[in-house]
Amino acid sequence: MKLNIILIFFIFSAQTSLAKDLLLFGGSNHDEFLGCLICNEYSSESVCNGYSAYGNHYGSNMWNEYSSPYGNEYSSSSPWNEYSVSDNVPIVEDRQGKFYGYFTINAYRSNAVDFADQLYEIYQMHDGDVEEVRGTLCELLN
């Protein structure tokens, strides 16, 4: 399973390498910046930088399951809600505004990111611990 996840992320990263940075946005109009998913892992915008506002487990970002609507698996705005079809789920786009899909573990949702199935597998592998999910994503993407 882990090899399958690594291969999918390698393919996704290769397909989006021309886009350089892939960003996460949330909110009702997707105007709330939630961090950079694929970028320099030491950037202050990176979700992989555990000291940044976007990667810090204690902040009010999508990696904190207690103080954020994006981290709580029962929130309709959360990427970790496997049943949500809300338009408030975070989206992935590049700096030029190209839309790559909804960042969600709900692979059945229309316009979900190409790797929603693998994101779900990672989420299940870590028993819903979103900080562990973030760590695995960062290992695979950087």
Side-chain angles (χ1 to χ4, degrees):
M1 178 171 96
K2 184 163 179 133
L3 180 59
N4 182 32
I5 293 170
I6 291 170
L7 287 174
I8 294 299
F9 274 101
F10 176 75
I11 292 167
F12 177 75
S13 295
Q15 289 176 334
T16 59
S17 64
L18 296 175
K20 296 183 183 170
D21 295 349
L22 289 183
L23 313 173
L24 295 163
F25 289 93
S28 59
N29 295 316
H30 296 112
D31 54 4
E32 181 183 353
F33 183 65
L34 299 175
C36 183
L37 182 62
I38 298 179
C39 61
N40 181 325
E41 64 186 301
Y42 300 107
S43 165
S44 62
E45 293 183 333
S46 177
V47 299
C48 296
N49 181 345
Y51 299 104
S52 78
Y54 306 104
N56 183 333
H57 178 64
Y58 301 103
S60 59
N61 56 49
M62 63 189 241
W63 309 108
N64 187 328
E65 55 200 288
Y66 303 108
S67 68
S68 168
Y70 306 111
N72 182 330
E73 70 180 303
Y74 302 107
S75 168
S76 62
S77 300
S78 176
W80 317 118
N81 182 334
E82 64 185 295
Y83 305 108
S84 180
V85 293
S86 169
D87 288 338
N88 295 339
V89 171
I91 62 168
V92 177
E93 62 181 41
D94 62 25
R95 292 202 186 270
Q96 289 70 41
K98 180 179 178 190
F99 176 76
Y100 287 87
Y102 286 92
F103 185 77
T104 178
I105 62 173
N106 181 356
Y108 299 105
R109 155 192 197 113
S110 65
N111 294 330
V113 290
D114 291 341
F115 57 93
D117 282 330
Q118 291 71 32
L119 191 59
Y120 179 76
E121 286 181 29
I122 294 169
Y123 183 79
Q124 291 297 313
M125 182 174 67
H126 292 300
D127 296 321
D129 184 330
V130 295
E131 174 60 15
E132 291 292 322
V133 171
R134 183 189 71 81
T136 298
L137 283 175
C138 292
E139 286 177 21
L140 294 172
L141 296 173
N142 291 298

